[in-house]
Amino acid sequence: MRVEEILKKGTAALKTAGISSPRVDAEVLLGFVLGCDRLALYREPRREVAAGEAARFEELVARRAAGEPVAYLTGEKEFMGLGFAVTPAVLIPRPETELLVETAVTLLRGAAAPVVADVGTGSGAVAVSLAVLLPAARVFAVDISTAALTVARENACRHRVADRVVFCAGDLLEPFAGNKSFFDLIVANLPYVPSGEVAKLPRPVRREPVLALDGGADGLVLYRRLVSQARPLLKPGGHLLFEIGSGQGAAALGLLPPAWEANVVQDLAERDRLVVARYRG
Ligand code: GLN
């Protein structure tokens, strides 16, 4: 079979299964099997696909149709223009989280040797992107999941920032307890889905670690703890940035006492997405 035929078949199978982006998913999976990018499939639509490759593709399409996320099938997800390894031990980096990284980079651009924490680093996508984009920064990345830290370390090596990213196993900012005025910036994309809504998430999202999604009764349980831990650890004038879900803006601002100057930034879809808080000191 040729590339164009096999893509058509795969797309149809995914569409029948109710997958929302059947063509793109089929292209990513075929590109993965053939070891080429999606554009190459368009350059060579009549390329002959070997029987073994076609069988491998069909197997991946079947798993995708059954609800597995594409990124877990390929082991790979792009974030901030960089390729990251992902496994089912980590949340798949989301495009909307790029806002967190972009805002952090804007705040720290020009800082001499900023010290940054990424709490709940998961795949390390945020920590590693920050280290790549801020060559003078030192980043401390924490996760309670040691399986996630293994993936994050691999990503730091892949992007050659392992010498500036320190990984710590721990609960939120506990590994740094006792330090004072240590960080210039703390970023976090913690679980923020209210417990009662986790079961209603789309099927592929429910394949991701519940540890990375379930944010307790109102979704803000972990951020409540993070805010109180962050205050002594931040330098006066330092920033705390954390991602939230649409509609959580007002409640999230309510977590920050008057020592903080805070506002909510919306994403490209105009949903509440990020809290930017400055510790006045
Ligand atoms: N944005 C994710 C989702 O919609 C949630 C990520 C998180 O809880 N930090 O599934």
Side-chain angles (χ1 to χ4, degrees):
M1 255 199 296
R2 298 181 195 282
V3 160
E4 57 189 356
E5 292 158 346
I6 199 169
L7 266 182
K8 222 182 213 169
K9 224 177 125 195
T11 304
L14 293 176
K15 202 166 178 184
T16 307
I19 300 297
S20 60
S21 49
R23 175 77 192 188
V24 175
D25 289 7
E27 288 172 4
V28 172
L29 293 175
L30 187 57
F32 172 65
V33 168
L34 299 180
C36 65
D37 62 17
R38 282 173 55 209
L39 271 183
L41 303 175
Y42 283 90
R43 275 195 300 271
E44 291 185 278
R46 306 189 64 73
R47 171 176 163 183
E48 204 46 57
V49 178
E53 291 170 332
R56 178 95 186 96
F57 173 73
E58 271 167 33
E59 179 202 322
L60 291 175
V61 165
R63 286 172 62 186
R64 175 67 187 125
E68 277 185 67
V70 174
Y72 288 162
L73 295 173
T74 63
E76 190 72 28
K77 180 73 185 180
E78 190 178 299
F79 179 78
M80 295 300 294
L82 303 168
F84 286 92
V86 294
T87 73
V90 301
L91 190 84
I92 299 163
R94 308 282 203 263
E96 55 268 31
T97 305
E98 295 186 351
L99 179 65
L100 174 74
V101 174
E102 287 159 4
T103 308
V105 168
T106 305
L107 287 169
L108 289 182
R109 194 167 274 142
V115 183
V116 179
D118 174 27
V119 187
T121 196
S123 66
V126 170
V128 170
S129 302
L130 287 174
V132 168
L133 292 166
L134 297 164
R138 272 210 305 151
V139 183
F140 292 83
V142 192
D143 209 289
I144 201 162
S145 157
T146 51
L149 287 172
T150 303
V151 178
R153 279 195 190 95
E154 178 186 336
N155 283 318
C157 290
R158 191 200 278 209
H159 295 293
R160 303 186 190 290
V161 292
D163 55 333
R164 285 186 296 112
V165 186
V166 175
F167 292 98
C168 322
D171 187 12
L172 303 181
L173 288 163
E174 260 172 25
F176 314 106
N179 289 288
K180 293 256 176 308
S181 297
F182 189 69
F183 294 112
D184 295 276
L185 179 95
I186 297 171
V187 296
N189 177 17
L190 294 175
Y192 54 71
V193 179
S195 300
E197 286 173 31
V198 171
K200 298 179 212 152
L201 289 168
R203 204 168 40 143
V205 179
R206 279 183 272 128
R207 298 285 187 118
E208 296 183 79
V210 69
L211 185 66
L213 292 165
D214 189 339
D218 65 350
L220 296 172
V221 169
L222 291 156
Y223 284 137
R224 215 165 267 123
R225 284 179 52 216
L226 180 72
V227 167
S228 67
Q229 291 180 350
R231 200 163 134 176
L233 287 170
L234 268 183
K235 295 178 188 168
H239 287 86
L240 169 65
L241 267 50
F242 59 94
E243 183 174 309
I244 55 171
S246 55
Q248 288 180 328
L253 288 179
L255 303 181
L256 294 147
W260 299 88
E261 191 182 292
N263 61 291
V264 171
V265 183
Q266 296 192 322
D267 62 19
L268 292 172
E270 296 182 359
R271 291 172 302 211
D272 292 351
R273 185 57 63 196
L274 184 65
V275 173
V276 179
R278 182 175 165 274
Y279 175 49
R280 295 180 216 260

